[in-house]
Amino acid sequence: MISTIFSARKLRSFLLIITLLSSIAISEESFHLIEKKELPNQLGTFREIEFNHDQTATIYTALLNPEYHARFYQDESKIQFFASYLDELNRHHDFTIGINGGFYQPNFTPVGLFIYQGKMIKPLVHNSLLKACIIINKNQKIILETDLDQCLHADNAMQTGPLLIQNGKINPHLQHLQTKSKSMQEFFDLHKRTLLAFTDENQIVMIVTSPISLMDLANFLQNHPHALGTKKIMTAINLDGGSSTGMYVRFPSEAFYFHELKHVKTFIFVN
């Protein structure tokens, strides 16, 4: 009887090990780290990741050290055609990393709340997608805020969304948003993406991707945070994507440039 119980326990342990190894293998097969290197000026770590799910997407991330300093930049051009791309801005502005910022309207003004250097450029709007905002506080740190009322009191704030990850889990309203209308479904389909994320270790991650669905990206962030170099993503907020998606990193030897395909109104710069 004792030997039978012992054998059963060994069998259960063996099956548990096989299950764990299988899950690890599946997890590792879903993404592949293409490149990892230090960001300039000891800002953190840059990664290029290949993610395979329903389709293959490339994800570029900059995991920032706490010493970074961030700021918004708003292109002064009134006409979109005359606005500058990130590589042009790099020649005239001092930043190490730059990404595109929030949504903007056909008249080339921001969509939703935009407070820039203490001046309200655009007021808050009520929109089912734009349920969060990016704040840059007086210490030049990025705050991902889900309480829009808090954004009204900031010196620099930008309304955006949707919220992908909230309190470490996929936003429960995300699936409902996707099925809300035909235009929403199109928005959730394959597009380039720009995001900001906040980790359980109080780090900011800047992210751009090749075309990927919004739900696949949310699942990747929740299930594979170690691919980004962290234990857990606590908050992730979508910025303007599609043809606006861009990232510029001023590496000493050769800059990394994920080129925007159209002129952008607002940017986030980091040194």
Side-chain angles (χ1 to χ4, degrees):
M1 180 69 175
I2 294 175
S3 61
T4 303
I5 295 172
F6 181 71
S7 298
R9 284 177 178 171
K10 284 203 297 184
L11 178 61
R12 285 197 298 270
S13 299
F14 176 76
L15 291 174
L16 178 60
I17 290 170
I18 292 297
T19 302
L20 288 173
L21 289 174
S22 299
S23 65
I24 291 170
I26 292 170
S27 175
E28 288 180 344
E29 286 175 0
S30 63
F31 72 88
H32 175 59
L33 182 62
I34 304 293
E35 183 180 22
K36 173 186 173 183
K37 59 182 178 180
E38 294 303 306
L39 288 165
N41 305 322
Q42 299 182 326
L43 269 179
T45 309
F46 175 86
R47 287 175 173 82
E48 178 183 350
I49 304 157
E50 186 179 88
F51 175 54
N52 299 291
H53 190 51
D54 293 334
Q55 75 287 327
T56 299
T58 306
I59 300 172
Y60 301 95
T61 72
L63 179 67
L64 302 181
N65 288 332
E67 293 76 18
Y68 79 91
H69 294 92
R71 69 186 188 278
F72 288 138
Y73 173 77
Q74 179 178 230
D75 198 294
E76 295 179 356
S77 302
K78 303 296 183 183
I79 300 173
Q80 186 170 6
F81 178 79
F82 296 112
S84 298
Y85 289 116
L86 274 167
D87 57 343
E88 298 173 83
L89 293 172
N90 172 68
R91 292 195 289 269
H92 304 288
H93 298 272
D94 178 27
F95 63 88
T96 304
I97 308 171
I99 61 171
N100 63 295
F103 297 89
Y104 49 92
Q105 303 180 97
N107 66 358
F108 208 47
T109 59
V111 174
L113 179 71
F114 191 72
I115 302 173
Y116 186 52
Q117 297 177 353
K119 181 181 179 181
M120 184 177 287
I121 308 297
K122 283 283 183 175
L124 188 72
V125 298
H126 297 286
N127 184 288
S128 58
L129 280 178
L130 309 181
K131 290 290 190 179
C133 82
I134 310 299
I135 291 175
I136 297 180
N137 66 17
K138 296 182 185 298
N139 296 320
Q140 296 182 284
K141 304 302 179 187
I142 296 170
I143 298 173
L144 307 186
E145 182 57 70
T146 58
D147 182 354
L148 289 175
D149 288 337
Q150 294 296 321
C151 306
L152 294 170
H153 306 294
D155 289 331
N156 293 278
M158 177 177 67
Q159 187 177 358
T160 188
L163 181 65
L164 271 67
I165 304 293
Q166 184 175 22
N167 299 323
K169 298 180 180 179
I170 294 176
N171 177 7
H173 303 295
L174 206 57
Q175 192 66 52
H176 171 69
L177 279 175
Q178 183 175 3
T179 58
K180 190 174 181 180
S181 67
K182 188 175 180 179
S183 62
M184 286 288 195
Q185 290 173 15
E186 198 280 330
F187 177 81
F188 274 72
D189 280 344
L190 302 182
H191 294 289
K192 297 175 183 177
R193 307 286 178 183
T194 307
L195 292 94
L196 287 173
F198 183 70
T199 78
D200 62 335
E201 297 176 291
N202 300 325
Q203 294 171 295
I204 289 290
V205 192
M206 308 175 81
I207 303 168
V208 296
T209 78
S210 66
I212 186 172
S213 74
L214 210 56
M215 287 304 301
D216 279 351
L217 184 53
N219 276 291
F220 172 78
L221 294 173
Q222 177 181 258
N223 297 324
H224 305 294
H226 47 291
L228 283 65
T230 187
K231 293 179 181 177
K232 191 168 188 177
I233 299 294
M234 298 303 298
T235 310
I237 298 176
N238 181 73
L239 304 181
D240 194 10
S243 54
S244 295
T245 297
M247 174 185 277
Y248 192 97
V249 184
R250 189 187 287 173
F251 287 106
S253 54
E254 182 180 2
F256 167 79
Y257 189 19
F258 192 109
H259 204 306
E260 326 92 286
L261 297 181
K262 68 179 181 181
H263 301 277
V264 175
K265 184 65 177 178
T266 57
F267 298 88
I268 299 172
F269 291 162
V270 167
N271 277 322

